[in-house]
Amino acid sequence: MDEDGNTSIFNISYTNFFLVGFPRLQEWRPLLVLPFTFLYVTIISTNALVIHTVVAQWNLHQPMYVLIALLLAINICAATAVMPKMLEGFVHYANPISLHGCLSQMFFIYFTLLLDYNLLLAMALDRYMAICYPLRYTDLMTSHLLGVLAIFALTRSLGVAVPLVVLTARAQFCRTAVIQHFTCEYIALLRIACGDLTFNNRLGLAMRLVTVIFDLVLLGTSYTRIIYVALRISSRGARAKALHTCGSHLLVILTIYLSGLSTSIVFRVAKTVSQDVQNLLSAIYLLLPGVLNPLIYGMRTKEIRQHIEKMLCGKESPQEAGEKPKRLQNTRVERELPG
């Protein structure tokens, strides 16, 4: 084997690997099973609760709440693509995985992450129409437009995830069969590949930069316009509601993009950072949205929060409490009317 780790006599490429996440925590790894299992159950249950609330309540069948439900469904899929194999790695120090299994996991990780980005763009468009063109909102934000946005999100996500997986599948993995990560991330796989990987590195970096810059420009332009229009609303209550709703979306955007940016910087620039710290940042990037998104939308979105409170605690919303006397009064009037 030469200095670059390439095999000069035998053209060997590993097709089975061992995931070794958090290698320096070997003695403590079994103790991480319980807290991370609790985290996984929490992600599934909290996201599923908000999704169930949106599906079960007919008055929440509006574009904004449908997009929130889709975002949380993707959170569940993203966590499921990562957590089972991660938990298995805490039990077994060397967690075996095949090349096909690794590529499948990598595809679902990046596909769900890109769907997250695309849904945030769709939610920005929804809020832009609702606040900037309130009288035409129902005419503009139709089910047909939602279908077009869904096709765009799927196409764009596949257009980025598939090339990354195809390029990775064509690489030769002859350095080692040990992946110093708890999951099959693109950069982690390139580290054990041999040969000229310049194109792979440049393509991965270019795709991330183009995706992030394009998204941030659209999001920044949309929310700048939204906030400008919201501040000019004469009604104090309507203005506060518009800003509050935008605040929830901006919190989610900052969570996803800042965690992703910090992970990319550490992986590509900070060579002195330990592998465990890099893996921890990657875990935060992959799992944090699934933890925070249902809390942000469940607690900060008034309509969703009221239905959840009613479902869990039997607490009526102020709107329902105000409507009950009216219904009783209408019933009395109907009884007093002659048949």
Side-chain angles (χ1 to χ4, degrees):
M1 186 173 290
D2 61 18
E3 294 179 356
D4 295 329
N6 300 327
T7 53
S8 56
I9 301 177
F10 302 103
N11 187 20
I12 297 174
S13 181
Y14 293 104
T15 57
N16 292 285
F17 307 98
F18 295 97
L19 294 170
V20 181
F22 307 103
R24 295 187 181 181
L25 300 178
Q26 183 175 357
E27 297 179 357
W28 301 95
R29 289 157 65 88
L31 299 178
L32 297 175
V33 174
L34 187 60
F36 274 90
T37 300
F38 177 76
L39 177 65
Y40 184 38
V41 173
T42 301
I43 290 174
I44 292 179
S45 57
T46 53
N47 283 276
L49 176 62
V50 179
I51 294 171
H52 172 73
T53 303
V54 173
V55 172
Q57 303 299 326
W58 64 268
N59 60 327
L60 297 181
H61 294 178
Q62 302 174 29
M64 183 182 79
Y65 305 113
V66 171
L67 291 171
I68 289 174
L70 289 174
L71 183 69
L72 301 188
I74 292 171
N75 290 162
I76 294 176
C77 295
T80 303
V82 174
M83 290 296 291
K85 204 64 183 173
M86 184 180 184
L87 293 172
E88 185 180 343
F90 290 146
V91 178
H92 309 289
Y93 176 72
N95 188 9
I97 187 170
S98 67
L99 175 59
H100 293 297
C102 207
L103 293 174
S104 298
Q105 187 186 49
M106 188 180 80
F107 169 78
F108 283 109
I109 288 173
Y110 285 100
F111 181 67
T112 53
L113 285 175
L114 289 160
L115 276 179
D116 256 357
Y117 295 160
N118 293 326
L119 276 178
L120 291 177
L121 289 176
M123 294 166 80
L125 176 64
D126 172 72
R127 290 300 86 199
Y128 177 81
M129 291 183 176
I131 294 174
C132 298
Y133 303 99
L135 298 179
R136 299 178 57 197
Y137 174 72
T138 53
D139 296 327
L140 294 173
M141 204 65 187
T142 60
S143 57
H144 174 72
L145 179 58
L146 283 176
V148 172
L149 292 174
I151 294 173
F152 170 77
L154 290 171
T155 304
R156 185 168 177 250
S157 300
L158 289 172
V160 176
V162 170
L164 290 178
V165 173
V166 171
L167 278 177
T168 306
R170 295 175 61 184
Q172 297 291 312
F173 303 100
C174 55
R175 293 182 185 274
T176 178
V178 177
I179 301 174
Q180 297 286 332
H181 208 286
F182 59 85
T183 189
C184 294
E185 277 204 339
Y186 182 67
I187 299 177
L189 280 170
L190 289 186
R191 286 178 175 175
I192 67 170
C194 49
D196 185 7
L197 300 173
T198 304
F199 180 74
N200 299 62
N201 284 313
R202 289 179 177 175
L203 180 66
L205 181 61
M207 283 188 169
R208 178 173 286 272
L209 288 176
V210 170
T211 301
V212 171
I213 292 174
F214 176 78
D215 289 359
L216 288 179
V217 168
L218 288 182
L219 290 170
T221 304
S222 299
Y223 281 104
T224 299
R225 176 63 179 171
I226 289 170
I227 292 172
Y228 173 76
V229 173
L231 290 174
R232 300 183 63 185
I233 296 176
S234 57
S235 171
R236 183 176 180 181
R239 181 171 63 249
K241 183 178 180 180
L243 293 175
H244 184 82
T245 303
C246 291
S248 299
H249 294 319
L250 289 174
L251 278 176
V252 173
I253 291 169
L254 288 174
T255 299
I256 292 177
Y257 282 93
L258 288 180
S259 59
L261 179 63
S262 62
T263 303
S264 295
I265 291 174
V266 169
F267 265 74
R268 297 181 183 275
V269 179
K271 302 296 183 182
T272 59
V273 177
S274 70
Q275 188 62 47
D276 286 344
V277 173
Q278 294 183 27
N279 290 352
L280 177 61
L281 288 174
S282 182
I284 292 173
Y285 171 52
L286 294 173
L287 301 176
L288 187 61
V291 176
L292 291 184
N293 288 354
L295 296 178
I296 293 173
Y297 288 120
M299 298 299 294
R300 288 180 57 88
T301 307
K302 181 181 177 182
E303 293 78 7
I304 295 177
R305 185 182 69 249
Q306 288 177 348
H307 285 296
I308 291 177
E309 289 175 350
K310 179 185 177 182
M311 187 188 309
L312 298 180
C313 309
K315 181 180 178 182
E316 291 184 344
S317 65
Q319 182 180 1
E320 289 179 334
E323 288 178 352
K324 183 174 288 187
K326 294 180 181 179
R327 290 198 298 267
L328 291 174
Q329 184 178 2
N330 291 337
T331 303
R332 292 194 189 99
V333 171
E334 289 175 357
R335 288 176 179 175
E336 291 174 358
L337 290 174

